[in-house]
Amino acid sequence: MIGHTKAARIGIIFIFILILGSLFVYIPKEENKVEAAGSPAITIKLAQPKATAYVAPGQDGVVTFTGTVMATIPWSPNIQYLIVSLQADAAGWPVSVTPQALTFNKAQKQQDFSISVQVPIQTSQSTQGQLSVSGRWRYSPGTMGGNVDPATAIIVVK
């Protein structure tokens, strides 16, 4: 009998500790999330309005564009960041964006990126491609987000 009483006491103490400990667990509620005062002003600018891809035999067909994303945050607490994720499209040609995500705060207002487009070798010279770079933005932490207007450039095939 003594062994059962001791085990029961230990069980009761353990349950009491669990209940007491659960009072200190912080579960964030939707209303506790931090939001910025409004939407940021974001602009994507490409440095080159057009670039030439050389696709003759022995050429690689890769053309590289560079650009800058400028972001102005209307107001931001010290714990919140603006994240801009870039997407690029070049009419189905393979595209690589570096970096894909850019992080901004009140002090960091612009960042550079580069995009490489692989134009298939022996693509016709009469073909002209268009690069479109757009993005999505969001605050972290937070739930506010939206789209970034695209910037475009021409790809000349030679």
Side-chain angles (χ1 to χ4, degrees):
M1 281 298 236
I2 295 176
H4 290 296
T5 307
K6 189 175 185 180
R9 285 185 194 154
I10 291 173
I12 291 172
I13 291 172
F14 182 72
I15 291 172
F16 178 73
I17 290 171
L18 283 176
I19 292 171
L20 187 62
S22 68
L23 296 176
F24 296 103
V25 175
Y26 174 74
I27 300 172
K29 296 179 182 174
E30 193 66 34
E31 63 266 12
N32 291 339
K33 288 191 176 181
V34 176
E35 286 300 342
S39 298
I42 303 171
T43 305
I44 299 173
K45 292 203 184 251
L46 289 168
Q48 305 84 6
K50 71 178 181 178
T52 302
Y54 296 95
V55 296
Q59 306 274 326
D60 63 5
V62 174
V63 62
T64 301
F65 292 86
T66 58
T68 303
V69 175
M70 291 163 282
T72 303
I73 303 170
W75 174 82
S76 165
N78 292 334
I79 62 168
Q80 194 170 45
Y81 299 94
L82 171 68
I83 299 172
V84 177
S85 300
L86 297 175
Q87 297 104 26
D89 180 57
W93 294 334
V95 177
S96 173
V97 180
T98 306
Q100 287 186 329
L102 305 168
T103 303
F104 297 89
N105 58 31
K106 195 72 169 161
Q108 179 74 43
K109 295 184 186 258
Q110 73 178 47
Q111 291 191 47
D112 297 332
F113 65 91
S114 68
I115 297 174
S116 295
V117 179
Q118 173 71 57
V119 179
I121 301 301
Q122 297 183 346
T123 298
S124 171
Q125 288 184 356
S126 64
T127 303
Q128 181 171 297
Q130 181 170 336
L131 173 67
S132 176
V133 184
S134 61
R136 297 238 348 118
W137 66 270
R138 67 179 176 85
Y139 286 117
S140 178
T143 58
M144 184 181 263
N147 293 320
V148 180
D149 290 335
T152 60
I154 304 290
I155 302 171
V156 177
V157 177
K158 290 195 176 190

